[in-house]
Amino acid sequence: MENVAAEGFVRRMRVAQGLEPADLVVRGAVVVDVYTGELHADWAIAAAGDRIAYVGPPMEGLIGERTSVVEAEGRYAVPGLLDGHTHLLGARYCPEAAIPYILASGTTTVITELAEPASVAGLLGIQAGMEAVRDQPVKVFVTLPPLASCAPFMEDVAPDPQTYRELLRRPEVVGLGEVYWANLVLREDPRLVDLVHAALEAGKVVEGHAAGARGGRLAAYAAAGVTSCHEPITAEEVLERLRLGYHVMVREGKVRQELEAVASVWRDGTADLRRLCLVTDSVAADQLLEEGYVDHLLRKAVRLGMDPIRAVQAVTLNVAERFRLDHLVGGLAPGRYADLVLTPSLHDFRAEVVVANGRVVAENGRVLVPSRSPRYPEALYHTVSRACLLPPEALRVPAPQRQRTVRVRAIQMVTHLVTRETVVEVPADGGFVRIPPDADVAVAAAVDRVSEPGRAFVGLVQGLGMRRGGYATTMAWDAHCLVTVGRSPEDMALAIRRVVALGGGCAVVSDGAVRAELPALVAGVVSTLPLEEVARREREVDEALRTLGFSSPRPSLTVDVLTAAAIPHFKISERGYVRVRDGSVVGLWPEEGEAPG
């Protein structure tokens, strides 16, 4: 192996001097130099094997009889784009279905979290995720999921620290995934402290998730060794993090779209943007098909006033430097992988030719190389137990006998993602809560499907807009739960029954009939359907939920995050409601005179 590597760089040295012909030459390009911010007209890029050997003015000896020549004809040569934060196994589709579209759009390197399969299956989920993204035509690096959840009992699938230490030695592992600041700073969780130390000890980075953290708490987070954050939603939050030395990731994807909100950071022209990265944080199937991938972020940032070369740096070199990969990717320079994109414009970026590992892999949106279809462990196809099949009577909120009205603790939707704790007063009859037809209150239940299958908690959620029917999903964030919401216990029970029959996924039910569904067989979170089919079914699910009264932009996402520690403040689990701030678990009934936490 060492001899092969040595032969590779010796050959690159010879090609760089014109002593041997290159395997591939791109000539006549305007090279975008992300290191200096310059544009170099009529330059050539020569590759020996999968690496760049030479970048510069045309030189004798680069082209031989067997050299593949790509005529740039004055187009811009941009480094292959990087996505510095995404969830390839958390966007409902399987990686191999999305990778052709990612590659065709000009993205050649992705750094992905593995939280979704790991939250369900622990080490097996981590290993399956790493296997799924291995040896794909897009380079995929991973961060290990810390599996930080709303409450400690939800982390029982987490591997032991020694296993993490062994995994951190693997070259494709670039760090520890997003560690929620409340778990680390406020709770001082010993397990997370140990994991952060292990990552730093291994020379890897620690990814942050500092939603809402400011001042001393944000400083404490950085002091712990966390060096990035993808959660700022205002220009002020971006600047606060940059000033503390964070690598700041601005999101534009399925979950959040922040480019427009923070654009004054670059419009003002005073802040150094070298630690600013643009990331997707996952892209929905329909977005990937209709808008593109990181290329969409690049175009939008330029429309919002970012200098085109700065925008290119924010999706190439800045990302590579953040993950200590800039010796491999992120720029067009000798020794780096020969990953590049030819585009006719930097203001309206379109990937006309994509080169990865020294070969043309896509032209004008058409991918020329296949994705690898991994084999997922059989156990991941059996994560939805029949013990989750709750009868309608188990999906009613109990109330004390003889009381006509009761005060019940509930989740309140502040936005379509953010929640808080509230108390609602609702009628009761015959030992159960009776929700009035015109009330914006629905039943919400979480059912364990892994650790203690069938264990459930039934509560209330206010502000969904749901007026009828039922919905069930196994794609809940940070949890190994099946979650259901609804106004009809019978429809909720049928939705659960359908999801169990599918082996995972989601289903919308109204008036006793299934209206839309999406199967997700792998760990109950990943669909093996083609990307176009996932997009179609996702649209059908969200449209069906809107007919039940939902008003949020992506109704299914609103339900997915009801278990998530990632988004504040009040969540649901199979043991009760959870306060994200301190991980405390509370039940239905507030104490006399108690204010919501």
Side-chain angles (χ1 to χ4, degrees):
M1 197 69 173
E2 290 179 2
N3 288 339
V4 172
E7 289 171 8
F9 78 69
V10 168
R11 180 155 186 270
R12 288 196 294 274
M13 289 194 298
R14 295 184 62 80
V15 170
Q17 299 172 80
L19 302 176
E20 287 186 20
D23 296 313
L24 177 138
V25 171
V26 177
R27 65 183 178 185
V30 179
V31 172
V32 178
D33 192 328
V34 294
Y35 302 106
T36 66
E38 297 173 292
L39 297 175
H40 305 295
D42 196 27
W43 270 25
I45 303 164
D50 59 0
R51 304 291 184 108
I52 295 173
Y54 174 80
V55 180
M59 184 176 64
E60 292 292 327
L62 290 179
I63 298 174
E65 291 183 2
R66 298 183 180 180
T67 303
S68 296
V69 178
V70 177
E71 302 289 356
E73 299 177 324
R75 287 175 289 187
Y76 295 92
V78 172
L81 310 184
L82 282 73
D83 187 358
H85 182 81
T86 194
H87 297 255
L88 274 183
L89 288 103
R92 298 187 170 182
Y93 45 74
C94 54
E96 62 269 27
I99 279 172
Y101 299 92
I102 292 173
L103 193 62
S105 70
T107 298
T108 55
T109 301
V110 168
I111 290 89
T112 187
E113 298 269 338
L114 298 176
E116 292 75 20
S119 293
V120 177
L123 178 59
L124 180 64
I126 294 172
Q127 292 170 330
M130 294 175 73
E131 169 62 21
V133 299
R134 179 182 59 81
D135 294 336
Q136 295 288 4
V138 169
K139 297 175 189 64
V140 184
F141 296 90
V142 305
T143 54
L144 296 181
L147 296 174
S149 297
C150 293
F153 71 83
M154 299 173 76
E155 302 169 1
D156 58 5
V157 297
D160 62 88
Q162 181 54 36
T163 299
Y164 275 101
R165 283 184 166 82
E166 293 168 4
L167 291 171
L168 282 163
R169 288 198 286 266
R170 295 178 59 158
E172 70 270 36
V173 176
V174 292
L176 185 66
E178 51 189 303
V179 178
Y180 303 143
W181 78 272
N183 298 52
L184 185 65
V185 175
L186 297 185
R187 300 186 207 169
E188 298 182 358
D189 185 319
R191 185 179 68 84
L192 292 182
V193 169
D194 194 14
L195 292 183
V196 169
H197 176 70
L200 298 176
E201 194 176 45
K204 304 297 175 78
V205 302
V206 180
E207 291 293 272
H209 183 112
R214 296 179 180 85
R217 287 170 174 170
L218 191 61
Y221 201 38
V226 178
T227 47
S228 80
C229 180
H230 62 275
E231 288 295 320
I233 61 175
T234 66
E236 292 74 18
E237 289 183 350
V238 170
L239 289 171
E240 184 180 13
R241 284 155 175 75
L242 287 173
R243 289 164 183 154
L244 290 173
Y246 284 93
H247 292 262
V248 178
M249 301 177 177
V250 179
R251 299 172 294 185
E252 191 78 17
K254 174 182 178 180
V255 181
R256 298 297 296 258
Q257 304 81 40
E258 262 102 41
L259 276 177
E260 190 165 357
V262 307
S264 63
V265 170
W266 53 82
R267 284 180 184 153
D268 289 349
T270 55
D272 191 322
L273 303 182
R274 68 195 201 86
R275 286 192 169 224
L276 186 77
C277 307
L278 308 182
V279 303
T280 67
D281 198 10
S282 83
V283 170
D286 59 347
Q287 291 175 314
L288 187 50
L289 292 169
E290 296 164 14
E291 298 176 347
Y293 195 61
V294 174
D295 57 318
H296 169 65
L297 280 64
L298 187 50
R299 288 190 294 271
K300 187 166 183 177
V302 172
R303 286 200 304 272
L304 291 169
M306 188 180 287
D307 175 81
I309 293 180
R310 299 291 176 265
V312 170
Q313 290 170 326
V315 293
T316 56
L317 183 62
N318 294 7
V319 179
E321 288 182 337
R322 189 279 167 283
F323 291 99
R324 304 169 186 170
L325 296 171
D326 51 305
H327 62 299
L328 299 176
V329 293
L332 299 177
R336 278 66 171 179
Y337 281 103
D339 298 347
L340 64 92
V341 183
L342 293 182
T343 179
S345 172
L346 294 182
H347 286 83
D348 186 25
F349 182 95
R350 305 286 169 182
E352 291 188 346
V353 177
V354 181
V355 174
N357 297 327
R359 57 189 289 213
V360 176
V361 294
E363 290 184 302
N364 297 313
R366 184 170 63 92
V367 176
L368 307 177
V369 294
S371 298
R372 184 181 66 85
S373 295
R375 295 181 63 181
Y376 294 96
E378 183 65 24
L380 289 188
Y381 292 95
H382 306 284
T383 64
V384 188
S385 169
R386 289 185 59 82
C388 295
L389 292 171
L390 301 184
E393 55 269 23
L395 294 165
R396 293 184 171 93
V397 177
Q401 291 284 353
R402 301 190 182 91
Q403 285 193 222
R404 295 300 180 90
T405 61
V406 290
R407 294 175 70 251
V408 184
R409 192 180 270 116
I411 297 170
Q412 182 180 45
M413 304 304 304
V414 179
T415 70
H416 68 284
L417 298 176
V418 177
T419 60
R420 66 184 172 201
E421 182 178 350
T422 192
V423 173
V424 296
E425 191 167 296
V426 287
D429 182 38
F432 293 99
V433 163
R434 306 292 181 184
I435 301 171
D438 59 346
D440 189 2
V441 177
V443 172
V447 189
D448 191 328
R449 60 186 178 94
V450 173
S451 298
E452 299 178 69
R455 180 170 183 166
F457 171 77
V458 183
L460 296 176
V461 57
Q462 182 184 59
L464 289 178
M466 196 174 195
R467 293 295 192 271
R468 61 193 184 91
Y471 176 65
T473 179
T474 57
M475 291 178 276
W477 288 18
D478 298 340
H480 41 254
C481 290
L482 181 154
V483 173
T484 180
V485 295
R487 292 293 295 263
S488 162
E490 291 75 20
D491 286 346
M492 293 169 69
L494 179 55
I496 292 173
R497 194 177 313 137
R498 184 57 189 157
V499 167
V500 171
L502 290 173
C506 61
V508 185
V509 172
S510 63
D511 302 320
V514 177
R515 305 298 177 181
E517 62 184 35
L518 170 64
L521 304 184
V522 181
V525 295
V526 177
S527 178
T528 54
L529 294 173
L531 192 72
E532 295 85 351
E533 182 67 8
V534 172
R536 182 182 70 81
R537 289 182 180 241
E538 276 195 305
R539 280 194 295 269
E540 290 176 351
V541 166
D542 283 335
E543 287 167 5
L545 287 172
R546 290 188 191 100
T547 68
L548 303 185
F550 277 80
S551 57
S552 57
R554 289 187 181 271
S556 56
L557 177 63
T558 297
V559 179
D560 287 349
V561 303
L562 288 177
T563 55
I567 302 174
H569 290 280
F570 198 56
K571 302 296 174 176
I572 195 168
S573 76
E574 70 272 20
R575 298 190 189 185
Y577 299 117
V578 182
R579 291 173 176 150
V580 172
R581 181 183 181 86
D582 60 7
S584 60
V585 180
V586 294
L588 289 170
W589 312 113
E591 299 295 328
E592 191 66 33
E594 176 189 357

